[in-house]
Amino acid sequence: MAWFDVMWVYPEDADRPEESNVAHVAQHGLTIEDVEHALQHPFGPAQQSRTSSRQVQTGPAVDGELIDVVYEWLDDVTIYPVTAYRLGE
């Protein structure tokens, strides 16, 4: 399992709360724990998003349901999850 940091921006700390990655994840009924679990237990290699240049990693949420996490690398060890959603959404 790879080691990395995950950067979270809470709505109260964002210039505009709707830009918070915590809020983006919550809009899809997911939690920080779901996203981190999926990133730590990936199903295969990351892919490139069809709509952006960001990476997309599929993995299981805490409850085992598969989710996609859209993220960017900020540096060699830090991931910024942009959003996450359940497969088929």
Side-chain angles (χ1 to χ4, degrees):
M1 177 179 359
W3 182 89
F4 49 82
D5 288 325
V6 181
M7 180 179 177
W8 292 104
V9 177
Y10 293 87
E12 61 271 17
D13 297 328
D15 291 335
R16 297 185 345 190
E18 67 275 8
E19 292 181 355
S20 156
N21 61 349
V22 174
H24 282 249
V25 167
Q27 288 174 351
H28 297 280
L30 298 169
T31 65
I32 290 170
E33 292 79 12
D34 289 322
V35 170
E36 291 184 358
H37 191 268
L39 290 170
Q40 293 168 353
H41 302 90
F43 283 5
Q47 304 294 317
Q48 186 169 357
S49 168
R50 286 178 260 151
T51 59
S52 73
S53 61
R54 296 178 174 129
Q55 296 291 301
V56 179
Q57 181 62 64
T58 301
V62 173
D63 66 6
E65 186 173 3
L66 287 181
I67 66 173
D68 276 343
V69 179
V70 180
Y71 67 92
E72 297 176 354
W73 282 100
L74 298 180
D75 57 33
D76 291 343
V77 296
T78 309
I79 290 176
Y80 179 80
V82 176
T83 193
Y85 49 87
R86 298 175 192 283
L87 292 184
E89 229 181 82

